[in-house]
């Protein structure tokens, strides 16, 4: 996920029932051929899907085996890729109506950005949703309109239910917040609910880890903390750019508590030497590190194109010494007018932070080398000494 900032628009999160189990093998076979998969590889995939069956066991009795003509095995590494290929025409259909579409496994999200301050959704959205419902029926996928969520970005009032279209007979009603891929979003993208949920879960796991600490070696305790706490702090943390200090401080308190538990240091000990000893970047710098890695991936074809489209190399009109230093263009105030947007938008923050890196780090082309050099620089900035 890239950085988000609040604009006026609609986000619709479709809900499908047993999506992986409903994939029809025959149309999937055609769509695999459409994306250029053929020959031996296509035969391998057909073999992977065919011959699968299921039966019911009850009280020691087994039913006869029923062979499946649909579904991709959940848990298999190939299944998300096969499902995405099966759903590929849906994204093309949505974009033909002028809406955006993002898909990840069985999560499909539609979004519509609108200029001005309309009081209701345009007719385009109604026609798009009708087409989407028809496509899903034709593809034998079951849509749950009652569980489909809608977030009206940039609107604080919730009295807009009657001004949204229906989906498969169910009236869409905007919600005050929605959860997308484990992240809670509200209408202003304040991230307050998300950070509250993160800190609550993290402190719960820290209390559990504290009870285990006397029985675990330090490396094992570190593994527990990284798996249950640090992973939560780092998940989608690029979304925390530009948030008020009071919110990021909540996350920092979680990291401080985890560091004290691992090192068995007391509350009287200053936390900076503890984090330095552990080689842990503070939360603020972990956020910056994630954004810089996303920037590197976007620049060199390892990340999503919608992030790459928001970046451009600095190209001065005259031949200057800075011309060949891998510097990004920072958008001016005419391009990003609102101060709040400049503080959070990927298109503004990423170039500023990228340009502060050393020329040697910006010149790297290998992701592993860049991550190592970038972390070292940020570690020096955070602590003023030492190496990562």
């Amino acid at each position: 996920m890239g950085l988000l900032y609040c604009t006026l628009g609609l986000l619709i999160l479709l809900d499908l029932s047993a999506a992986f189990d409903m994939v029809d093998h025959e149309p999937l076979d055609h769509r695999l051929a459409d994306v250029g998969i053929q020959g031996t590889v296509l035969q391998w995939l057909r073999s992977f899907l065919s011959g699968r069956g299921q039966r019911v066991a009850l009280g020691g009795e087994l039913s006869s085996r029923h062979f499946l003509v649909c579904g991709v095995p959940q848990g298999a590494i190939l299944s998300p890729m096969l499902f995405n290929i099966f759903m590929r025409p849906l994204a093309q259909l949505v974009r033909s109506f002028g809406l955006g579409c993002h898909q990840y496994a069985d999560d499909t999200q539609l979004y519509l950005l609108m200029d001005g301050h309309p009081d209701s959704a345009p007719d385009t959205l109604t026609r798009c949703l009708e087409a989407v419902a028809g496509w899903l029926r034709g593809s034998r996928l079951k849509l749950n309109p009652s569980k489909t969520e809608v977030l009206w970005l940039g609107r604080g009032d919730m009295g807009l239910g009657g001004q949204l279209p229906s989906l498969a007979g169910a009236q869409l009603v905007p919600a005050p917040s929605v959860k997308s891929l484990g992240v809670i979003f509200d209408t202003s993208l304040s991230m307050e609910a998300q950070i509250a949920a993160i800190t609550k879960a993290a402190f719960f796991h820290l209390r559990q880890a504290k009870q285990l600490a006397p029985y675990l070696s330090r490396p094992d305790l570190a593994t527990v903390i990284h798996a249950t706490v640090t992973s939560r702090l780092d998940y989608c943390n690029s979304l925390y750019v530009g948030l008020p200090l009071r919110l990021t401080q909540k996350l920092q308190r979680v990291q401080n508590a985890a560091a004290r538990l691992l090192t068995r240091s007391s509350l009287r000990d200053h936390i900076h030497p503890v984090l330095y000893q552990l080689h842990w970047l503070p939360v603020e710098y972990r956020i910056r590190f994630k954004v810089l890695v996303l920037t590197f991936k976007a620049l060199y074809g390892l990340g999503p194109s919608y992030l790459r489209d928001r970046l451009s190399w600095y190209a001065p009109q005259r031949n200057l010494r800075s011309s060949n230093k891998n510097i990004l263009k920072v958008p001016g105030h005419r391009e990003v007018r609102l101060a709040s947007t400049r503080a959070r938008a990927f298109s503004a923050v990423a170039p500023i932070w990228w340009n502060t890196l050393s020329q040697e780090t910006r010149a790297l082309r290998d992701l592993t080398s860049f991550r190592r050099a970038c972390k070292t620089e940020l570690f020096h900035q955070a602590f003023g000494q030492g190496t990562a």
Side-chain angles (χ1 to χ4, degrees):
M1 296 184 83
L3 303 186
L4 296 175
Y5 57 93
C6 191
T7 185
L8 188 64
L10 278 172
L11 175 66
I12 302 174
L13 296 83
L14 300 179
D15 185 88
L16 302 177
S17 296
F20 276 43
D21 296 332
M22 301 295 287
V23 174
D24 195 319
H25 293 171
E26 184 176 350
L28 174 60
D29 191 80
H30 294 302
R31 289 166 194 172
L32 288 171
D34 289 341
V35 297
I37 298 177
Q38 53 188 344
T40 303
V41 176
L42 183 58
Q43 294 299 324
W44 283 345
L45 293 176
R46 286 172 177 168
S47 175
F48 172 71
L49 294 172
S50 63
R52 296 185 178 273
Q54 63 183 18
R55 55 186 179 179
V56 177
L58 180 62
E61 298 293 331
L62 288 176
S63 69
S64 58
R65 186 177 180 86
H66 177 74
F67 286 94
L68 302 176
V69 296
C70 63
V72 291
Q74 297 201 34
I77 194 170
L78 289 175
S79 296
M81 179 198 71
L82 293 173
F83 185 82
N84 286 340
I85 292 174
F86 183 80
M87 296 288 287
R88 188 168 175 262
L90 178 61
Q92 298 170 340
L93 175 65
V94 170
R95 295 187 181 109
S96 70
F97 286 91
L99 278 74
C101 182
H102 286 309
Q103 295 173 302
Y104 182 80
D106 59 343
D107 287 288
T108 300
Q109 302 177 8
L110 285 58
Y111 61 92
L112 175 64
L113 303 181
M114 291 174 282
D115 297 327
H117 299 276
D119 293 327
S120 61
D123 293 337
T124 304
L125 179 61
T126 301
R127 297 195 302 270
C128 178
L129 292 179
E130 290 174 352
V132 166
W135 187 90
L136 292 172
R137 283 195 303 270
S139 300
R140 301 178 185 176
L141 293 174
K142 182 174 176 54
L143 176 67
N144 279 330
S146 60
K147 293 185 178 180
T148 293
E149 296 182 298
V150 180
L151 186 67
W152 193 301
L153 296 168
R155 297 295 296 257
D157 56 313
M158 289 294 105
L160 298 166
Q163 298 166 0
L164 289 179
S166 60
L167 175 63
Q171 178 66 47
L172 294 179
V173 179
S177 65
V178 298
K179 180 177 283 190
S180 173
L181 298 176
V183 178
I184 302 172
F185 295 108
D186 57 29
T187 57
S188 62
L189 299 181
S190 68
M191 309 306 295
E192 290 197 26
Q194 167 66 9
I195 289 179
I198 289 285
T199 54
K200 181 179 179 180
F203 277 124
F204 169 80
H205 287 288
L206 280 176
R207 289 192 294 269
Q208 302 301 308
K210 188 175 182 178
Q211 296 180 14
L212 294 174
Y215 310 101
L216 297 177
S217 65
R218 178 162 167 169
D220 290 339
L221 181 59
T223 299
V224 171
I225 290 174
H226 287 315
T228 60
V229 178
T230 308
S231 60
R232 284 180 164 82
L233 295 179
D234 289 344
Y235 180 69
C236 291
N237 61 347
S238 60
L239 297 171
Y240 305 152
V241 170
L243 292 182
L245 184 61
R246 62 181 177 82
L247 292 180
T248 53
Q249 282 180 336
K250 290 182 178 181
L251 300 177
Q252 187 60 57
R253 284 195 287 269
V254 172
Q255 188 189 47
N256 293 350
R260 295 186 193 281
L261 174 61
L262 183 57
T263 59
R264 292 178 169 82
S265 56
S266 70
L267 291 174
R268 297 179 181 179
D269 297 329
H270 196 276
I271 194 60
H272 254 56
V274 177
L275 296 177
Y276 174 75
Q277 174 193 342
L278 293 172
H279 285 223
W280 286 6
L281 284 174
V283 167
E284 173 189 354
Y285 290 91
R286 299 176 86 88
I287 294 170
R288 182 174 295 207
F289 175 74
K290 179 66 71 65
V291 173
L292 288 169
V293 171
L294 282 173
T295 304
F296 180 93
K297 290 181 176 180
L299 289 172
Y300 298 111
L302 302 174
S305 59
Y306 61 82
L307 290 183
R308 179 63 183 90
D309 293 341
R310 297 183 179 275
L311 302 173
S312 59
W313 294 109
Y314 173 66
Q317 295 180 349
R318 295 182 294 122
N319 189 16
L320 304 175
R321 285 184 295 177
S322 59
S323 301
N324 299 317
K325 292 187 177 181
N326 299 310
I327 294 176
L328 292 175
K329 177 186 175 183
V330 178
H333 290 279
R334 290 184 177 180
E335 298 172 270
V336 186
R337 297 181 181 179
L338 296 177
S340 58
T341 298
R342 292 188 66 84
R344 299 190 64 184
F346 179 82
S347 58
V349 173
I352 293 173
W353 286 353
W354 176 269
N355 294 344
T356 62
L357 293 173
S358 67
Q359 183 177 350
E360 292 76 16
T361 300
R362 294 197 306 266
L364 295 172
R365 294 294 182 271
D366 175 68
L367 177 59
T368 302
S369 300
F370 175 81
R371 289 174 60 93
R372 186 182 301 113
C374 182
K375 184 181 179 184
T376 299
E377 284 199 37
L378 294 178
F379 195 85
H380 284 212
Q381 293 177 26
F383 299 102
Q385 58 179 334
T387 57

